Amino acid sequence: MSAATVSRLRCACGRRGTLQGLAGLALAALARPAVAAARPADIEQPPQPGPTAFAARALEMRRIAVERGDQPYGAVVVRGLRIVGLGVSAVVTDNDPTAHAEMQAIRDAARRLGTRDLSGCELYGSARACPMCEAAAYWARIDRLRYGEAGTDGGAPALR
């Protein structure tokens, strides 16, 4: 914040001075150069995409979670034959009870695709999704849940 802006905010001119100070802050914010959001790294795709490969990637995410000192859960979001979101459990390492692998994968996919609507996607988890994660998949409009090493079909997400 510039010195001029601070001085305008400190102005004892009553309401008009405060409004001018707020307007100055707004103009200062608009004048700043836009900072580009960090573009997430591309996701390495399996050489032979399919349910077995996507389930294997979810298990790989589980291994990473364990290596980081977290709970043994991993997940991926798939659209078509491409992985569009990755999730590693971060409940313990981030002290965040909502950072389940499935939630992380949904957040990652939404960020990468630039939409909260994940219609046409499937969520592969290393284990069956808990009620919170299934509800998140429901609200994200994910078509299907799959879990385990075989990519067992868990059906369409539902609110329970």
Side-chain angles (χ1 to χ4, degrees):
M1 186 179 320
S2 71
T5 303
V6 171
S7 102
R8 274 187 284 206
L9 285 175
R10 289 184 181 158
C11 178
C13 300
R15 184 175 176 203
R16 183 174 175 184
T18 302
L19 289 176
Q20 286 175 342
L22 291 173
L25 279 177
L27 288 173
L30 290 174
R32 285 189 208 129
V35 176
R39 184 176 177 272
D42 290 335
I43 297 173
E44 183 179 336
Q45 299 298 319
Q48 301 213 334
T52 305
F54 300 140
R57 184 62 63 86
L59 295 175
E60 182 184 336
M61 296 295 103
R62 176 181 70 180
R63 180 188 55 76
I64 292 169
V66 171
E67 284 178 359
R68 291 180 179 175
D70 218 293
Q71 299 173 337
Y73 299 104
V76 299
V77 175
V78 174
R79 179 178 274 168
L81 292 176
R82 294 191 57 78
I83 297 172
V84 295
L86 301 171
V88 173
S89 178
V91 171
V92 175
T93 55
D94 287 357
N95 293 316
D96 180 353
T98 69
H100 291 197
E102 296 87 350
M103 299 290 282
Q104 301 287 69
I106 290 168
R107 290 173 183 144
D108 188 45
R111 187 173 34 254
R112 289 174 188 275
L113 296 174
T115 181
R116 62 189 173 93
D117 184 352
L118 300 180
S119 298
C121 291
E122 293 185 334
L123 176 64
Y124 284 78
S126 58
R128 188 173 185 104
C130 74
M132 174 183 70
C133 295
E134 186 168 356
Y138 173 86
W139 288 113
R141 297 188 175 129
I142 288 177
D143 293 351
R144 215 125 200 98
L145 301 175
R146 299 192 180 274
Y147 63 93
E149 192 173 333
T152 304
D153 188 352
L159 294 178
R160 299 182 195 262

